[in-house]
Amino acid sequence: MTTPTHWTTVDSPFGELLLTADPSGTLTSLSVPGQKGGRTVRDGWLHDPGLFREAEEQLAAYFAGELKEFRLPAHTDGTTFRQRVWAALDSLPYGATTTYGEIAARIGAPRAAVRAVGGAIGANPLLILRPCHRVIGADGALTGYAGGLDRKVRLLTLEGVLSTARR
């Protein structure tokens, strides 16, 4: 028997966010509207807004510039390689950026693994919460973001990485 998926939506400056969790409230995904590879509500999922109150409060505080680190239980499925990349993302501090090559080096992967690192980052099921928006190109370019480059710019501006003039 499969574990039921619980879900809710949360309003944000980026539109309505879709959050999913297991029955204990451990988050399994956060998707933004129009996200490449984002989740959509499926038959059999249980709408349960109460399960997500803490996530909703922390997201609101983050968007208000009052929260710099999420403290929410989360679990995502992925290959061992993806889990290593995601753990490296989880350790990126608010207001900092890194590159795909730096992530590869951090997890002990060869330089040639940069594309695979990019694939793992692009498959991140916890947008915003797991800060893949903090990964930029080696030349400083704001490279792809599953939630769209405009959202990446807005998140990095919120965190003080970019000035509003660059938007």
Side-chain angles (χ1 to χ4, degrees), residues 52-123:
F52 298 89
R53 277 200 188 92
E54 182 64 25
E56 186 172 6
E57 288 172 9
Q58 288 191 33
L59 284 161
Y62 170 78
F63 291 126
E66 300 164 357
L67 181 79
K68 297 193 180 345
E69 184 177 342
F70 293 102
R71 298 209 182 274
L72 297 165
H75 174 78
T76 50
D77 292 323
T79 64
T80 301
F81 180 79
R82 283 186 174 178
Q83 294 290 347
R84 288 176 30 221
V85 170
W86 295 341
L89 289 176
D90 288 338
S91 71
L92 291 175
Y94 181 96
T97 59
T98 191
T99 66
Y100 297 91
E102 289 167 349
I103 294 282
R106 185 178 293 187
I107 66 167
R111 181 87 179 124
V114 169
R115 284 188 188 267
V117 166
I121 291 170

Short mmCIF file of all heavy atoms in Angstrom, two decimals, residues 52-123:
data_model
loop_
_atom_site.label_atom_id
_atom_site.label_comp_id
_atom_site.label_asym_id
_atom_site.label_seq_id
_atom_site.Cartn_x
_atom_site.Cartn_y
_atom_site.Cartn_z
N PHE A 52 0.19 21.89 6.83
CA PHE A 52 1.24 22.74 6.25
C PHE A 52 1.35 24.11 6.92
O PHE A 52 1.99 25.01 6.38
CB PHE A 52 0.97 22.92 4.75
CG PHE A 52 1.01 21.63 3.97
CD1 PHE A 52 -0.14 20.87 3.82
CD2 PHE A 52 2.19 21.18 3.42
CE1 PHE A 52 -0.11 19.68 3.11
CE2 PHE A 52 2.23 20.00 2.71
CZ PHE A 52 1.08 19.23 2.54
N ARG A 53 0.74 24.30 8.07
CA ARG A 53 0.73 25.63 8.70
C ARG A 53 2.14 26.15 8.95
O ARG A 53 2.44 27.32 8.69
CB ARG A 53 -0.06 25.60 10.01
CG ARG A 53 -1.53 25.74 9.77
CD ARG A 53 -2.31 26.20 10.99
NE ARG A 53 -3.72 26.12 10.69
CZ ARG A 53 -4.48 25.05 10.95
NH1 ARG A 53 -3.96 23.99 11.53
NH2 ARG A 53 -5.75 25.06 10.64
N GLU A 54 3.02 25.32 9.48
CA GLU A 54 4.39 25.77 9.77
C GLU A 54 5.11 26.14 8.48
O GLU A 54 5.82 27.15 8.43
CB GLU A 54 5.16 24.69 10.54
CG GLU A 54 6.57 25.11 10.92
CD GLU A 54 6.64 26.29 11.89
OE1 GLU A 54 5.68 26.53 12.64
OE2 GLU A 54 7.67 26.98 11.88
N ALA A 55 4.95 25.35 7.44
CA ALA A 55 5.58 25.67 6.15
C ALA A 55 5.05 27.00 5.62
O ALA A 55 5.82 27.84 5.14
CB ALA A 55 5.33 24.56 5.14
N GLU A 56 3.74 27.20 5.72
CA GLU A 56 3.14 28.45 5.25
C GLU A 56 3.69 29.64 6.04
O GLU A 56 4.04 30.67 5.45
CB GLU A 56 1.62 28.38 5.40
CG GLU A 56 0.91 29.56 4.80
CD GLU A 56 -0.60 29.39 4.77
OE1 GLU A 56 -1.13 28.40 5.31
OE2 GLU A 56 -1.25 30.28 4.20
N GLU A 57 3.83 29.50 7.36
CA GLU A 57 4.36 30.59 8.18
C GLU A 57 5.82 30.88 7.84
O GLU A 57 6.22 32.05 7.73
CB GLU A 57 4.23 30.24 9.67
CG GLU A 57 2.80 30.28 10.16
CD GLU A 57 2.64 29.74 11.58
OE1 GLU A 57 3.66 29.48 12.27
OE2 GLU A 57 1.48 29.56 12.00
N GLN A 58 6.63 29.83 7.67
CA GLN A 58 8.05 30.05 7.35
C GLN A 58 8.21 30.65 5.96
O GLN A 58 9.06 31.52 5.75
CB GLN A 58 8.84 28.75 7.50
CG GLN A 58 9.02 28.36 8.95
CD GLN A 58 10.01 27.23 9.14
OE1 GLN A 58 10.99 27.11 8.39
NE2 GLN A 58 9.78 26.41 10.16
N LEU A 59 7.42 30.21 5.00
CA LEU A 59 7.51 30.80 3.66
C LEU A 59 7.12 32.28 3.69
O LEU A 59 7.80 33.10 3.08
CB LEU A 59 6.63 30.03 2.68
CG LEU A 59 7.19 28.69 2.22
CD1 LEU A 59 6.09 27.81 1.64
CD2 LEU A 59 8.30 28.92 1.19
N ALA A 60 6.07 32.62 4.42
CA ALA A 60 5.66 34.02 4.53
C ALA A 60 6.77 34.85 5.16
O ALA A 60 7.07 35.96 4.70
CB ALA A 60 4.37 34.14 5.34
N ALA A 61 7.42 34.34 6.19
CA ALA A 61 8.51 35.06 6.85
C ALA A 61 9.70 35.21 5.90
O ALA A 61 10.35 36.26 5.85
CB ALA A 61 8.93 34.34 8.13
N TYR A 62 10.00 34.17 5.11
CA TYR A 62 11.09 34.24 4.14
C TYR A 62 10.80 35.34 3.10
O TYR A 62 11.64 36.19 2.83
CB TYR A 62 11.27 32.88 3.46
CG TYR A 62 12.21 32.91 2.28
CD1 TYR A 62 13.59 32.93 2.47
CD2 TYR A 62 11.73 32.94 0.97
CE1 TYR A 62 14.47 32.97 1.39
CE2 TYR A 62 12.59 32.97 -0.11
CZ TYR A 62 13.96 33.00 0.11
OH TYR A 62 14.81 33.04 -0.97
N PHE A 63 9.60 35.33 2.54
CA PHE A 63 9.26 36.31 1.52
C PHE A 63 9.21 37.73 2.08
O PHE A 63 9.41 38.70 1.36
CB PHE A 63 7.94 35.96 0.83
CG PHE A 63 8.03 34.74 -0.05
CD1 PHE A 63 7.15 33.68 0.13
CD2 PHE A 63 8.98 34.64 -1.05
CE1 PHE A 63 7.23 32.55 -0.68
CE2 PHE A 63 9.08 33.52 -1.86
CZ PHE A 63 8.20 32.47 -1.66
N ALA A 64 8.98 37.86 3.39
CA ALA A 64 8.98 39.16 4.05
C ALA A 64 10.39 39.60 4.43
O ALA A 64 10.58 40.69 4.98
CB ALA A 64 8.09 39.12 5.29
N GLY A 65 11.39 38.75 4.15
CA GLY A 65 12.77 39.07 4.49
C GLY A 65 13.10 38.85 5.95
O GLY A 65 14.12 39.33 6.44
N GLU A 66 12.26 38.11 6.66
CA GLU A 66 12.44 37.90 8.10
C GLU A 66 13.03 36.53 8.45
O GLU A 66 13.36 36.29 9.61
CB GLU A 66 11.08 38.04 8.80
CG GLU A 66 10.46 39.42 8.61
CD GLU A 66 8.98 39.44 8.96
OE1 GLU A 66 8.40 38.39 9.30
OE2 GLU A 66 8.39 40.54 8.88
N LEU A 67 13.13 35.63 7.49
CA LEU A 67 13.63 34.27 7.74
C LEU A 67 14.74 33.96 6.76
O LEU A 67 14.59 34.17 5.56
CB LEU A 67 12.50 33.24 7.58
CG LEU A 67 12.88 31.79 7.84
CD1 LEU A 67 12.95 31.54 9.35
CD2 LEU A 67 11.88 30.84 7.20
N LYS A 68 15.86 33.48 7.27
CA LYS A 68 17.01 33.18 6.41
C LYS A 68 17.27 31.69 6.27
O LYS A 68 18.02 31.27 5.41
CB LYS A 68 18.25 33.88 6.95
CG LYS A 68 18.10 35.40 6.92
CD LYS A 68 19.40 36.10 7.16
CE LYS A 68 19.36 37.58 7.15
NZ LYS A 68 18.27 38.30 6.65
N GLU A 69 16.68 30.87 7.12
CA GLU A 69 16.91 29.43 7.05
C GLU A 69 15.62 28.70 7.40
O GLU A 69 15.05 28.90 8.47
CB GLU A 69 18.01 29.03 8.03
CG GLU A 69 18.39 27.57 7.95
CD GLU A 69 19.54 27.23 8.88
OE1 GLU A 69 20.27 28.14 9.33
OE2 GLU A 69 19.71 26.04 9.17
N PHE A 70 15.17 27.85 6.47
CA PHE A 70 13.97 27.05 6.72
C PHE A 70 14.30 25.92 7.69
O PHE A 70 15.35 25.29 7.59
CB PHE A 70 13.42 26.48 5.41
CG PHE A 70 12.89 27.52 4.48
CD1 PHE A 70 13.62 27.94 3.39
CD2 PHE A 70 11.64 28.09 4.70
CE1 PHE A 70 13.13 28.91 2.52
CE2 PHE A 70 11.13 29.06 3.85
CZ PHE A 70 11.88 29.48 2.76
N ARG A 71 13.40 25.67 8.59
CA ARG A 71 13.53 24.56 9.53
C ARG A 71 12.25 23.73 9.44
O ARG A 71 11.38 23.81 10.30
CB ARG A 71 13.75 25.06 10.94
CG ARG A 71 15.03 25.87 11.08
CD ARG A 71 15.61 25.76 12.49
NE ARG A 71 16.80 26.55 12.64
CZ ARG A 71 18.03 26.14 12.35
NH1 ARG A 71 18.22 24.96 11.85
NH2 ARG A 71 19.08 26.92 12.54
N LEU A 72 12.17 22.98 8.36
CA LEU A 72 11.00 22.15 8.10
C LEU A 72 11.45 20.73 7.79
O LEU A 72 12.43 20.54 7.06
CB LEU A 72 10.23 22.70 6.89
CG LEU A 72 9.65 24.11 7.03
CD1 LEU A 72 9.25 24.66 5.68
CD2 LEU A 72 8.47 24.06 7.98
N PRO A 73 10.75 19.73 8.31
CA PRO A 73 11.10 18.36 7.95
C PRO A 73 10.80 18.11 6.48
O PRO A 73 9.74 18.51 5.98
CB PRO A 73 10.22 17.51 8.87
CG PRO A 73 9.07 18.39 9.23
CD PRO A 73 9.59 19.80 9.20
N ALA A 74 11.74 17.51 5.79
CA ALA A 74 11.57 17.23 4.36
C ALA A 74 12.25 15.91 4.02
O ALA A 74 13.26 15.53 4.63
CB ALA A 74 12.15 18.35 3.52
N HIS A 75 11.69 15.24 3.04
CA HIS A 75 12.29 14.02 2.51
C HIS A 75 11.97 13.95 1.03
O HIS A 75 10.81 14.08 0.63
CB HIS A 75 11.75 12.76 3.21
CG HIS A 75 12.25 11.51 2.57
ND1 HIS A 75 13.52 11.02 2.79
CD2 HIS A 75 11.68 10.68 1.67
CE1 HIS A 75 13.70 9.93 2.06
NE2 HIS A 75 12.60 9.71 1.38
N THR A 76 13.01 13.77 0.23
CA THR A 76 12.80 13.64 -1.20
C THR A 76 13.54 12.40 -1.70
O THR A 76 14.62 12.07 -1.21
CB THR A 76 13.31 14.88 -1.95
OG1 THR A 76 14.65 15.18 -1.53
CG2 THR A 76 12.42 16.08 -1.66
N ASP A 77 12.93 11.73 -2.65
CA ASP A 77 13.53 10.54 -3.23
C ASP A 77 14.39 10.93 -4.42
O ASP A 77 14.01 11.80 -5.21
CB ASP A 77 12.44 9.56 -3.69
CG ASP A 77 11.67 8.98 -2.51
OD1 ASP A 77 12.30 8.71 -1.47
OD2 ASP A 77 10.44 8.78 -2.64
N GLY A 78 15.53 10.28 -4.53
CA GLY A 78 16.42 10.50 -5.65
C GLY A 78 17.58 9.54 -5.57
O GLY A 78 17.79 8.88 -4.55
N THR A 79 18.35 9.47 -6.64
CA THR A 79 19.52 8.60 -6.65
C THR A 79 20.52 9.06 -5.59
O THR A 79 20.42 10.18 -5.07
CB THR A 79 20.21 8.66 -8.03
OG1 THR A 79 20.70 10.00 -8.22
CG2 THR A 79 19.27 8.26 -9.16
N THR A 80 21.47 8.23 -5.29
CA THR A 80 22.51 8.59 -4.33
C THR A 80 23.22 9.87 -4.78
O THR A 80 23.49 10.76 -3.97
CB THR A 80 23.52 7.44 -4.17
OG1 THR A 80 22.81 6.28 -3.71
CG2 THR A 80 24.61 7.78 -3.18
N PHE A 81 23.51 9.99 -6.07
CA PHE A 81 24.17 11.18 -6.60
C PHE A 81 23.30 12.41 -6.37
O PHE A 81 23.78 13.44 -5.88
CB PHE A 81 24.47 10.99 -8.09
CG PHE A 81 25.17 12.17 -8.71
CD1 PHE A 81 26.53 12.37 -8.54
CD2 PHE A 81 24.45 13.11 -9.44
CE1 PHE A 81 27.17 13.48 -9.10
CE2 PHE A 81 25.08 14.21 -10.00
CZ PHE A 81 26.45 14.39 -9.82
N ARG A 82 22.03 12.32 -6.72
CA ARG A 82 21.13 13.47 -6.52
C ARG A 82 21.04 13.84 -5.05
O ARG A 82 21.04 15.02 -4.71
CB ARG A 82 19.73 13.18 -7.08
CG ARG A 82 19.69 13.30 -8.58
CD ARG A 82 18.29 13.15 -9.12
NE ARG A 82 18.29 13.41 -10.56
CZ ARG A 82 17.23 13.33 -11.32
NH1 ARG A 82 16.05 13.01 -10.80
NH2 ARG A 82 17.32 13.58 -12.60
N GLN A 83 20.97 12.85 -4.18
CA GLN A 83 20.91 13.14 -2.74
C GLN A 83 22.15 13.91 -2.28
O GLN A 83 22.05 14.82 -1.46
CB GLN A 83 20.75 11.85 -1.92
CG GLN A 83 19.43 11.13 -2.14
CD GLN A 83 18.23 11.85 -1.56
OE1 GLN A 83 18.33 12.78 -0.78
NE2 GLN A 83 17.04 11.43 -1.97
N ARG A 84 23.32 13.54 -2.81
CA ARG A 84 24.56 14.25 -2.45
C ARG A 84 24.51 15.70 -2.94
O ARG A 84 24.91 16.62 -2.22
CB ARG A 84 25.77 13.52 -3.00
CG ARG A 84 26.04 12.23 -2.24
CD ARG A 84 27.17 11.35 -2.78
NE ARG A 84 28.24 12.02 -3.44
CZ ARG A 84 28.83 11.58 -4.54
NH1 ARG A 84 28.44 10.46 -5.12
NH2 ARG A 84 29.83 12.25 -5.08
N VAL A 85 24.04 15.90 -4.17
CA VAL A 85 23.93 17.26 -4.71
C VAL A 85 22.93 18.06 -3.88
O VAL A 85 23.21 19.21 -3.50
CB VAL A 85 23.51 17.23 -6.21
CG1 VAL A 85 23.15 18.63 -6.70
CG2 VAL A 85 24.63 16.61 -7.05
N TRP A 86 21.79 17.46 -3.56
CA TRP A 86 20.77 18.17 -2.79
C TRP A 86 21.26 18.51 -1.39
O TRP A 86 20.94 19.58 -0.86
CB TRP A 86 19.47 17.37 -2.75
CG TRP A 86 18.83 17.22 -4.11
CD1 TRP A 86 19.06 17.97 -5.24
CD2 TRP A 86 17.86 16.24 -4.49
NE1 TRP A 86 18.29 17.52 -6.28
CE2 TRP A 86 17.55 16.46 -5.85
CE3 TRP A 86 17.23 15.20 -3.81
CZ2 TRP A 86 16.61 15.67 -6.53
CZ3 TRP A 86 16.31 14.42 -4.50
CH2 TRP A 86 16.01 14.66 -5.84
N ALA A 87 22.04 17.62 -0.79
CA ALA A 87 22.60 17.92 0.54
C ALA A 87 23.54 19.12 0.44
O ALA A 87 23.57 19.97 1.34
CB ALA A 87 23.33 16.69 1.09
N ALA A 88 24.31 19.21 -0.65
CA ALA A 88 25.19 20.37 -0.84
C ALA A 88 24.36 21.64 -1.00
O ALA A 88 24.72 22.69 -0.46
CB ALA A 88 26.10 20.15 -2.05
N LEU A 89 23.24 21.56 -1.71
CA LEU A 89 22.36 22.72 -1.84
C LEU A 89 21.82 23.14 -0.48
O LEU A 89 21.75 24.33 -0.17
CB LEU A 89 21.18 22.41 -2.76
CG LEU A 89 21.46 22.26 -4.25
CD1 LEU A 89 20.17 21.86 -4.98
CD2 LEU A 89 22.04 23.52 -4.84
N ASP A 90 21.41 22.16 0.31
CA ASP A 90 20.84 22.45 1.63
C ASP A 90 21.82 23.20 2.53
O ASP A 90 21.40 23.90 3.45
CB ASP A 90 20.41 21.15 2.33
CG ASP A 90 19.16 20.54 1.70
OD1 ASP A 90 18.39 21.26 1.04
OD2 ASP A 90 18.95 19.32 1.90
N SER A 91 23.11 23.07 2.26
CA SER A 91 24.11 23.73 3.11
C SER A 91 24.48 25.13 2.62
O SER A 91 25.28 25.81 3.26
CB SER A 91 25.37 22.86 3.20
OG SER A 91 26.07 22.87 1.97
N LEU A 92 23.90 25.57 1.49
CA LEU A 92 24.23 26.90 0.97
C LEU A 92 23.56 27.97 1.83
O LEU A 92 22.33 27.97 1.96
CB LEU A 92 23.75 27.06 -0.48
CG LEU A 92 24.48 26.25 -1.53
CD1 LEU A 92 23.81 26.44 -2.89
CD2 LEU A 92 25.93 26.64 -1.59
N PRO A 93 24.32 28.89 2.38
CA PRO A 93 23.71 29.90 3.25
C PRO A 93 22.93 30.96 2.47
O PRO A 93 23.22 31.24 1.30
CB PRO A 93 24.90 30.51 3.98
CG PRO A 93 26.08 30.23 3.12
CD PRO A 93 25.78 28.98 2.35
N TYR A 94 21.97 31.51 3.14
CA TYR A 94 21.16 32.63 2.63
C TYR A 94 22.10 33.74 2.16
O TYR A 94 23.08 34.07 2.82
CB TYR A 94 20.29 33.13 3.78
CG TYR A 94 19.35 34.26 3.45
CD1 TYR A 94 18.03 34.01 3.12
CD2 TYR A 94 19.77 35.58 3.52
CE1 TYR A 94 17.14 35.04 2.85
CE2 TYR A 94 18.89 36.62 3.26
CZ TYR A 94 17.58 36.34 2.92
OH TYR A 94 16.70 37.37 2.66
N GLY A 95 21.79 34.29 1.00
CA GLY A 95 22.56 35.43 0.50
C GLY A 95 23.89 35.08 -0.14
O GLY A 95 24.66 35.96 -0.48
N ALA A 96 24.16 33.79 -0.31
CA ALA A 96 25.41 33.35 -0.95
C ALA A 96 25.08 32.64 -2.25
O ALA A 96 23.97 32.18 -2.45
CB ALA A 96 26.17 32.41 -0.02
N THR A 97 26.05 32.58 -3.13
CA THR A 97 25.89 31.81 -4.36
C THR A 97 27.07 30.87 -4.51
O THR A 97 28.11 31.04 -3.86
CB THR A 97 25.79 32.71 -5.61
OG1 THR A 97 26.99 33.49 -5.72
CG2 THR A 97 24.57 33.60 -5.57
N THR A 98 26.90 29.89 -5.35
CA THR A 98 27.96 28.96 -5.69
C THR A 98 27.79 28.59 -7.15
O THR A 98 26.83 29.01 -7.79
CB THR A 98 27.92 27.71 -4.77
OG1 THR A 98 29.11 26.95 -4.95
CG2 THR A 98 26.71 26.83 -5.06
N THR A 99 28.71 27.80 -7.68
CA THR A 99 28.63 27.38 -9.08
C THR A 99 28.41 25.88 -9.15
O THR A 99 28.61 25.15 -8.18
CB THR A 99 29.92 27.73 -9.84
OG1 THR A 99 30.99 26.95 -9.30
CG2 THR A 99 30.25 29.22 -9.75
N TYR A 100 28.03 25.43 -10.34
CA TYR A 100 27.85 23.99 -10.57
C TYR A 100 29.16 23.25 -10.31
O TYR A 100 29.17 22.19 -9.69
CB TYR A 100 27.35 23.74 -11.99
CG TYR A 100 26.01 24.35 -12.26
CD1 TYR A 100 25.89 25.65 -12.76
CD2 TYR A 100 24.85 23.65 -11.98
CE1 TYR A 100 24.65 26.23 -12.98
CE2 TYR A 100 23.59 24.22 -12.20
CZ TYR A 100 23.50 25.50 -12.70
OH TYR A 100 22.27 26.08 -12.91
N GLY A 101 30.29 23.84 -10.76
CA GLY A 101 31.59 23.22 -10.54
C GLY A 101 31.94 23.14 -9.07
O GLY A 101 32.53 22.15 -8.62
N GLU A 102 31.59 24.18 -8.30
CA GLU A 102 31.85 24.15 -6.86
C GLU A 102 31.02 23.08 -6.16
O GLU A 102 31.49 22.43 -5.24
CB GLU A 102 31.61 25.53 -6.24
CG GLU A 102 32.66 26.55 -6.66
CD GLU A 102 32.28 27.99 -6.31
OE1 GLU A 102 31.10 28.24 -5.93
OE2 GLU A 102 33.14 28.86 -6.44
N ILE A 103 29.79 22.89 -6.62
CA ILE A 103 28.96 21.82 -6.06
C ILE A 103 29.59 20.47 -6.38
O ILE A 103 29.69 19.59 -5.51
CB ILE A 103 27.50 21.88 -6.59
CG1 ILE A 103 26.80 23.14 -6.11
CG2 ILE A 103 26.72 20.62 -6.23
CD1 ILE A 103 26.30 23.12 -4.69
N ALA A 104 30.03 20.28 -7.62
CA ALA A 104 30.67 19.01 -8.01
C ALA A 104 31.88 18.75 -7.11
O ALA A 104 32.05 17.64 -6.60
CB ALA A 104 31.08 19.05 -9.48
N ALA A 105 32.72 19.77 -6.91
CA ALA A 105 33.90 19.61 -6.06
C ALA A 105 33.50 19.30 -4.62
O ALA A 105 34.11 18.44 -3.97
CB ALA A 105 34.77 20.86 -6.12
N ARG A 106 32.47 19.96 -4.13
CA ARG A 106 32.02 19.78 -2.75
C ARG A 106 31.58 18.34 -2.48
O ARG A 106 31.78 17.82 -1.39
CB ARG A 106 30.89 20.74 -2.44
CG ARG A 106 30.45 20.70 -0.99
CD ARG A 106 29.35 21.68 -0.70
NE ARG A 106 29.84 23.04 -0.84
CZ ARG A 106 29.15 24.11 -0.53
NH1 ARG A 106 27.92 23.97 -0.08
NH2 ARG A 106 29.64 25.31 -0.66
N ILE A 107 30.97 17.70 -3.48
CA ILE A 107 30.51 16.32 -3.28
C ILE A 107 31.53 15.29 -3.74
O ILE A 107 31.26 14.09 -3.72
CB ILE A 107 29.14 16.07 -3.97
CG1 ILE A 107 29.26 16.15 -5.49
CG2 ILE A 107 28.09 17.03 -3.44
CD1 ILE A 107 28.05 15.63 -6.24
N GLY A 108 32.71 15.75 -4.17
CA GLY A 108 33.77 14.84 -4.57
C GLY A 108 33.60 14.26 -5.96
O GLY A 108 34.19 13.23 -6.28
N ALA A 109 32.80 14.92 -6.79
CA ALA A 109 32.60 14.46 -8.16
C ALA A 109 33.64 15.12 -9.07
O ALA A 109 34.10 16.23 -8.80
CB ALA A 109 31.20 14.83 -8.63
N PRO A 110 34.02 14.45 -10.16
CA PRO A 110 34.98 15.05 -11.08
C PRO A 110 34.40 16.25 -11.81
O PRO A 110 33.18 16.40 -11.91
CB PRO A 110 35.29 13.92 -12.06
CG PRO A 110 34.12 13.01 -11.99
CD PRO A 110 33.58 13.13 -10.59
N ARG A 111 35.26 17.10 -12.30
CA ARG A 111 34.85 18.30 -13.03
C ARG A 111 33.90 17.95 -14.18
O ARG A 111 32.97 18.70 -14.48
CB ARG A 111 36.10 19.01 -13.57
CG ARG A 111 35.82 20.27 -14.33
CD ARG A 111 35.72 21.47 -13.39
NE ARG A 111 35.48 22.68 -14.15
CZ ARG A 111 34.45 23.48 -13.94
NH1 ARG A 111 33.60 23.22 -13.00
NH2 ARG A 111 34.28 24.56 -14.67
N ALA A 112 34.11 16.78 -14.78
CA ALA A 112 33.26 16.35 -15.89
C ALA A 112 31.82 16.08 -15.45
O ALA A 112 30.93 15.95 -16.28
CB ALA A 112 33.85 15.08 -16.52
N ALA A 113 31.57 16.04 -14.16
CA ALA A 113 30.23 15.76 -13.65
C ALA A 113 29.36 17.01 -13.56
O ALA A 113 28.23 16.93 -13.08
CB ALA A 113 30.33 15.10 -12.28
N VAL A 114 29.86 18.15 -14.05
CA VAL A 114 29.11 19.40 -13.91
C VAL A 114 27.73 19.30 -14.56
O VAL A 114 26.75 19.77 -13.99
CB VAL A 114 29.92 20.59 -14.48
CG1 VAL A 114 29.08 21.84 -14.60
CG2 VAL A 114 31.12 20.87 -13.58
N ARG A 115 27.62 18.65 -15.70
CA ARG A 115 26.30 18.50 -16.34
C ARG A 115 25.38 17.65 -15.48
O ARG A 115 24.19 17.93 -15.36
CB ARG A 115 26.43 17.89 -17.74
CG ARG A 115 26.92 18.86 -18.78
CD ARG A 115 26.82 18.21 -20.17
NE ARG A 115 27.45 19.04 -21.16
CZ ARG A 115 26.81 19.93 -21.88
NH1 ARG A 115 25.52 20.11 -21.71
NH2 ARG A 115 27.44 20.65 -22.78
N ALA A 116 25.91 16.60 -14.91
CA ALA A 116 25.10 15.74 -14.04
C ALA A 116 24.66 16.51 -12.80
O ALA A 116 23.53 16.35 -12.33
CB ALA A 116 25.87 14.48 -13.65
N VAL A 117 25.54 17.34 -12.27
CA VAL A 117 25.17 18.20 -11.14
C VAL A 117 24.03 19.12 -11.56
O VAL A 117 23.05 19.28 -10.83
CB VAL A 117 26.39 19.01 -10.64
CG1 VAL A 117 25.96 20.14 -9.71
CG2 VAL A 117 27.40 18.10 -9.96
N GLY A 118 24.13 19.70 -12.73
CA GLY A 118 23.06 20.56 -13.23
C GLY A 118 21.75 19.81 -13.37
O GLY A 118 20.68 20.34 -13.05
N GLY A 119 21.81 18.56 -13.83
CA GLY A 119 20.60 17.74 -13.94
C GLY A 119 19.98 17.47 -12.58
O GLY A 119 18.75 17.53 -12.42
N ALA A 120 20.82 17.19 -11.59
CA ALA A 120 20.30 16.95 -10.24
C ALA A 120 19.69 18.21 -9.66
O ALA A 120 18.63 18.17 -9.02
CB ALA A 120 21.43 16.44 -9.34
N ILE A 121 20.32 19.35 -9.90
CA ILE A 121 19.79 20.62 -9.40
C ILE A 121 18.46 20.92 -10.10
O ILE A 121 17.50 21.34 -9.46
CB ILE A 121 20.82 21.75 -9.59
CG1 ILE A 121 22.00 21.53 -8.63
CG2 ILE A 121 20.18 23.12 -9.39
CD1 ILE A 121 23.19 22.43 -8.88
N GLY A 122 18.38 20.67 -11.39
CA GLY A 122 17.15 20.89 -12.14
C GLY A 122 16.01 19.99 -11.70
O GLY A 122 14.84 20.31 -11.90
N ALA A 123 16.34 18.85 -11.09
CA ALA A 123 15.32 17.90 -10.62
C ALA A 123 14.95 18.13 -9.16
O ALA A 123 14.19 17.35 -8.59
CB ALA A 123 15.83 16.48 -10.81
#
